[in-house]
Amino acid sequence: MFELGGCFESSSLDCWIDNSAINEIKLTIDGNELTIPAQSGIEYKFDYGKHTLTYNNDSLNFIVKPAKFGTTSFINPTQSNYFITTVVYSTSNVSQEEYDKISQKDLKNLSVMVDGEQAEIELPTVEINDVFINKMDTNWDYSFDEPFPKKLSQKLNLPKDSYYFEDKRKLYLEMDFLDYLKNDGEEEAISFPY
């Protein structure tokens, strides 16, 4: 049983149901059939309480209840791959060695397919393909419809010769993440296991 949480102010929660697949999908929530267009999604209002989601002849029971703080979450009925990538922003006086040392902590091994062969690549990225994806659990700063900023603009009162780092995380749809890798210099044609 999974729980989605919303704000105290109302007796319901609006939740995005995403379909990143190339075909439209049909699913049922509490007996209501929904059609979700390909590579799109819909907003759905859930009353607080128990619900059943059925997709592809599989059913999942979950509870929607009020939470102390509103959170961003969405439903991924196709269990498509999403990726959260970390970028480290720093002040300009940081040495490459220090920057590399700081950014190493976010590196993870991801399983990929390269020319039909299974391999691993090391990236500052986490793969998620859960039915319920919650920002509070996965901690992203920018959603799949928001770009990474070129730089962060903050006024910092730092002592002379000191520097500053800040991690920012972005949620990607799989096809957008593959484009991001190509733009970042990844030359091999890779795909991710489903």
Side-chain angles (χ1 to χ4, degrees):
M1 187 81 66
F2 183 82
E3 297 177 1
L4 287 176
C7 298
F8 278 123
E9 286 83 31
S10 70
S11 62
S12 63
L13 170 69
D14 289 329
C15 188
W16 183 256
I17 302 173
D18 198 59
N19 175 18
S20 64
I22 57 171
N23 298 314
E24 75 175 20
I25 62 170
K26 293 186 185 303
L27 58 91
T28 304
I29 297 176
D30 303 328
N32 298 321
E33 187 173 290
L34 304 171
T35 300
I36 303 177
Q39 299 179 339
S40 186
I42 62 168
E43 192 81 29
Y44 190 83
K45 184 180 286 284
F46 290 95
D47 291 331
Y48 292 151
K50 293 180 180 180
H51 297 277
T52 301
L53 182 146
T54 304
Y55 172 70
N56 241 5
N57 296 320
D58 287 326
S59 291
L60 178 66
N61 296 317
F62 61 100
I63 296 173
V64 174
K65 65 180 190 175
K68 196 170 196 176
F69 305 100
T71 62
T72 302
S73 60
F74 64 95
I75 298 175
N76 174 23
T78 61
Q79 292 187 278
S80 297
N81 293 329
Y82 292 82
F83 298 87
I84 297 176
T85 294
T86 302
V87 168
V88 178
Y89 291 87
S90 68
T91 51
S92 60
N93 62 338
V94 175
S95 70
Q96 187 65 44
E97 180 181 318
E98 190 64 32
Y99 183 85
D100 290 345
K101 181 179 166 187
I102 295 294
S103 59
Q104 292 291 320
K105 68 180 175 43
D106 294 311
L107 292 177
K108 308 275 187 284
N109 287 325
L110 290 178
S111 292
V112 297
M113 299 299 287
V114 180
D115 297 326
E117 299 288 324
Q118 187 161 353
E120 285 191 347
I121 57 173
E122 192 174 52
L123 294 169
T125 303
V126 176
E127 180 180 1
I128 303 165
N129 48 27
D130 299 331
V131 173
F132 298 97
I133 299 177
N134 187 323
K135 182 176 181 177
M136 186 178 269
D137 297 333
T138 53
N139 191 26
W140 69 80
D141 300 292
Y142 307 102
S143 188
F144 46 78
D145 58 348
E146 301 172 289
F148 266 126
K150 299 255 186 248
K151 63 181 183 175
L152 299 181
S153 57
Q154 294 179 323
K155 297 216 179 231
L156 301 170
N157 294 322
L158 297 173
K160 189 177 178 181
D161 297 328
S162 62
Y163 47 85
Y164 173 79
F165 291 98
E166 185 171 353
D167 292 348
K168 291 294 183 182
R169 292 168 186 82
K170 177 176 169 36
L171 178 70
Y172 282 97
L173 300 166
E174 183 170 343
M175 64 182 178
D176 294 336
F177 184 62
L178 289 169
D179 287 343
Y180 169 78
L181 291 176
K182 285 178 192 169
N183 291 335
D184 199 38
E186 180 63 46
E187 295 178 12
E188 295 180 295
I190 64 171
S191 61
F192 293 92
Y194 180 70

